[in-house]
């Protein structure tokens, strides 16, 4: 059977990808961030799964006000890096895993998670920056990818509890896949940041630290947060962290924390990364 | 009607149904800049390109003037507005700084972030701010 081996949470700030694409990672502004990512990359090098489910959001790239689903599964053979207004990132094509993607989708819908299905989807920085975080700059991404796109921009976003339950249902679906596959799951976005409005630039390290602590030892606490808790405490765009709940829901009750890194700032965002291994 | 308790969060524009409806065409214009042909057409004649979207006169002027905070007040969402600052080949901190109050230059905004960002204390609640 297929098995989820580990989860990662990581911010997906576009500036991080741009710094890599433009060869700026050695600059003083970026150096501490990329230094902190070295253990992330070392772990990923030794733990490449056959398939990675990347829970991310689209930023007015492939979806917008005319049609935005709450949860969308990418079932295509491949996904192109998108032009989001400044030309596509020069990163490898993202290869899908349609068999597992469809298996999960069918299981989820039959278990009352009504997923939208995308057979053609250009993926923006929300998905490609986490790949760059984990794997640096390879010629080919070493894992196949199932994009799971979540609406985190248009209110009301799915509740933090719904996201967690979706993760639990994904785990059951993966474990019912007959082929022997190792599967990773990443929750992306966050951590605290607010990009718009008079309050732009607000960060909240206390909130972020508590969120990561809960992720490890009390994930239910992160499901009790409300939309307004995120907007108020983590900034309007900090609500992206609900996607980390999907990742956590797909892991075992007890997890081993392998690595954690937190750095301020990346652009206007608090950067966070955490790797959690399943214990069963 | 849902109680929108996030309305108490200061200086924050949530893309809810109110802003969705107010800003629909404005955001769809911004989104169009994902396409290189659209970027070229907009660069060639901004006013003419904006005529192809059903914007209000105020929205149109805010775009032409790069008044980002005004755009948000007229229904734009920051992720959509991102396309415009990128089109201008400016880093997003330019836009963040213009929206911030008091407004900041790129360097001032960058310096605030390097120093740990805008503090959350004192910025959680309009009620709290009124009551000191």
């Amino acid at each position: 059977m297929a098995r989820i081996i580990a989860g990662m949470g990581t911010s997906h700030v576009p500036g991080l990808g741009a710094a890599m694409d433009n060869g700026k990672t050695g600059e003083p502004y970026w150096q501490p961030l990329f230094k902190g990512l070295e253990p992330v990359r070392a772990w990923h090098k030794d733990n490449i799964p056959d398939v990675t489910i990347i829970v991310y959001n689209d930023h007015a790239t492939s979806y917008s006000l005319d049609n935005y689903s709450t949860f969308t599964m990418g079932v295509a053979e491949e996904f192109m890096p998108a032009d989001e207004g400044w030309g596509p990132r020069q990163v490898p094509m993202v290869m899908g895993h349609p068999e597992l993607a469809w298996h999960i989708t069918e299981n989820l819908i039959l278990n009352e998670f009504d997923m939208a299905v995308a057979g053609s989807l250009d993926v923006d920085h929300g998905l490609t920056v986490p790949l760059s975080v984990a794997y640096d700059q390879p010629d080919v991404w070493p894992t196949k990818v199932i994009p799971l796109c979540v609406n985190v921009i248009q209110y009301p976003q799915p509740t933090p509890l719904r996201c967690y339950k979706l993760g639990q249902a994904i785990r059951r679906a993966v474990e019912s896949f007959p082929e022997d596959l190792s599967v990773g799951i990443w929750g992306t976005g966050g951590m605290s940041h607010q990009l718009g409005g008079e309050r732009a630039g607000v960060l909240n390290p206390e909130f972020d630290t508590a969120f990561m602590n809960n992720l490890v030892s009390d994930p239910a606490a992160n499901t009790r947060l409300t939309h307004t808790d995120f907007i108020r405490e983590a900034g309007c765009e900090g609500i992206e962290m609900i996607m980390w709940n999907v990742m956590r829901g797909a892991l075992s009750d007890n997890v081993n924390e392998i690595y954690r890194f937190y750095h301020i700032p990346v652009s206007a965002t608090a950067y966070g990364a955490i790797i959690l291994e399943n214990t069963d | 009607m849902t109680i929108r308790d996030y309305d108490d969060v200061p200086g924050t524009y949530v893309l809810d149904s109110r802003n969705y409806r107010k800003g629909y065409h404005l955001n769809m214009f911004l989104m169009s800049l994902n396409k290189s042909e659209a970027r070229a057409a907009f660069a060639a004649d901004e006013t003419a390109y904006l005529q192809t979207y059903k914007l209000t006169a105020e929205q149109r002027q805010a775009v032409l003037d790069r008044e980002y905070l005004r755009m948000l007040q007229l229904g734009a969402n920051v992720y959509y507005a991102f396309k415009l600052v990128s089109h201008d080949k400016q880093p997003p901190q330019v836009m963040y700084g213009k929206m911030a109050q008091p407004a900041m230059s790129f360097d001032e905004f960058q310096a605030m972030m390097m120093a740990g960002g805008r503090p959350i204390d004192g910025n959680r609640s309009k009620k709290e701010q009124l009551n000191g």
Side-chain angles (χ1 to χ4, degrees):
Chain A
M1 73 175 196
R3 217 167 58 83
I4 294 181
I5 55 170
M8 172 172 74
T10 176
S11 311
H12 58 218
V13 194
L16 194 163
M20 291 178 60
D21 300 346
N22 297 313
K24 292 184 175 172
T25 58
E27 291 183 2
Y29 179 90
W30 292 105
Q31 205 276 336
L33 174 79
F34 287 97
K35 180 92 188 137
L37 292 182
E38 284 172 8
V40 174
R41 289 170 169 173
W43 181 87
H44 278 289
K45 204 171 178 185
D46 296 335
N47 294 277
I48 298 173
D50 298 312
V51 189
T52 303
I53 300 163
I54 304 184
V55 187
Y56 82 109
N57 69 285
D58 178 271
H59 303 76
T61 302
S62 293
Y63 300 121
S64 72
L65 304 191
D66 62 342
N67 192 342
Y68 207 141
S69 300
T70 298
F71 296 118
T72 304
M73 293 289 284
V75 299
E77 297 277 352
E78 55 189 31
F79 304 91
M80 288 254 291
D83 185 347
E84 19 190 330
W86 51 91
R89 287 192 68 203
Q90 297 302 305
V91 292
M93 182 81 96
V94 176
M95 303 310 291
H97 197 295
E99 297 84 1
L100 182 60
W102 268 114
H103 173 84
I104 295 171
T105 303
E106 289 168 355
N107 270 267
L108 288 173
I109 294 174
L110 293 172
N111 285 290
E112 303 183 346
F113 287 87
D114 303 315
M115 312 299 284
V117 177
S120 170
L121 171 60
D122 288 355
V123 289
D124 73 11
H125 70 269
L127 185 131
T128 62
V129 166
L131 284 166
S132 301
V133 163
Y135 299 120
D136 205 345
Q137 294 176 303
D139 295 331
V140 178
W141 298 122
T143 179
K144 293 192 169 175
V145 170
I146 298 176
L148 199 179
C149 182
V150 181
N151 165 39
V152 296
I153 297 178
Q154 195 171 299
Y155 179 88
Q157 297 85 347
T159 65
L161 178 60
R162 188 63 173 164
C163 289
Y164 187 77
K165 287 181 175 172
L166 175 64
Q168 292 177 314
I170 287 171
R171 184 179 190 190
R172 289 192 293 270
V174 166
E175 291 179 349
S176 69
F177 190 69
E179 199 183 326
D180 251 346
L181 288 177
S182 60
V183 178
I185 184 162
W186 300 349
T188 73
M191 299 189 81
S192 58
H193 64 306
Q194 175 152 334
L195 305 180
E198 294 92 331
R199 199 176 72 138
V202 82
L203 299 181
N204 191 341
E206 290 79 1
F207 180 93
D208 294 338
T209 304
F211 188 87
M212 284 207 268
N213 289 344
N214 289 335
L215 210 59
V216 179
S217 50
D218 187 11
N222 287 344
T223 69
R224 290 190 289 267
L225 295 162
T226 66
H227 290 73
T228 299
D229 289 336
F230 278 104
I231 293 165
R232 192 192 299 283
E233 296 293 331
C236 196
E237 281 66 58
I239 199 166
E240 288 178 344
M241 276 187 268
I242 61 173
M243 295 185 288
W244 295 37
N245 276 2
V246 181
M247 176 271 287
R248 186 60 183 89
L251 302 181
S252 49
D253 289 345
N254 296 309
V255 290
N256 292 326
E257 180 178 343
I258 302 301
Y259 181 66
R260 185 194 296 208
F261 175 58
Y262 188 71
H263 174 77
I264 287 175
V266 176
S267 185
T269 302
Y271 179 86
I274 194 163
I275 296 173
L276 303 171
E277 272 182 358
N278 257 343
T279 55
D280 60 59
Chain B
M1 187 70 191
T2 320
I3 298 169
R4 302 185 186 279
D5 51 359
Y6 52 78
D7 280 346
D8 173 56
V9 181
T12 298
Y13 299 81
V14 175
L15 180 56
D16 58 13
S17 60
R18 296 169 295 183
N19 283 321
Y20 179 102
R21 296 174 64 194
K22 190 160 58 171
Y24 186 87
H25 296 290
L26 176 56
N27 284 313
M28 293 308 281
F29 148 69
L30 290 163
M31 159 99 179
S32 75
L33 299 178
N34 283 337
K35 292 201 165 63
S36 57
E37 316 85 81
R39 294 196 288 272
F42 181 61
D45 187 339
E46 294 197 359
T47 307
Y49 185 77
L50 287 171
Q51 293 292 348
T52 64
Y53 285 85
K54 285 191 253 173
L55 306 189
T56 65
E58 250 187 316
Q59 289 174 329
R60 203 173 302 130
Q61 200 57 47
V63 171
L64 292 171
D65 295 343
R66 306 300 194 261
E67 289 286 351
Y68 288 102
L69 185 59
R70 191 77 197 117
M71 285 166 58
L72 257 53
Q73 289 160 349
L74 298 172
N77 170 261
V78 70
Y79 286 122
Y80 291 75
F82 210 99
K83 317 287 179 188
L84 184 59
V85 74
S86 299
H87 173 77
D88 290 342
K89 306 227 174 330
Q90 289 180 327
Q93 289 93 336
V94 169
M95 173 177 75
Y96 306 151
K98 280 188 169 189
M99 290 186 301
Q101 291 300 311
M104 296 178 204
S105 67
F106 171 89
D107 287 336
E108 288 165 343
F109 190 86
Q110 187 84 322
M112 175 178 80
M113 298 315 301
M114 297 290 285
R118 187 185 299 280
I120 188 73
D121 288 340
N123 284 309
R124 287 188 169 89
S125 156
K126 290 178 187 169
K127 273 191 233 113
E128 177 191 279
Q129 288 180 337
L130 277 176
N131 301 331

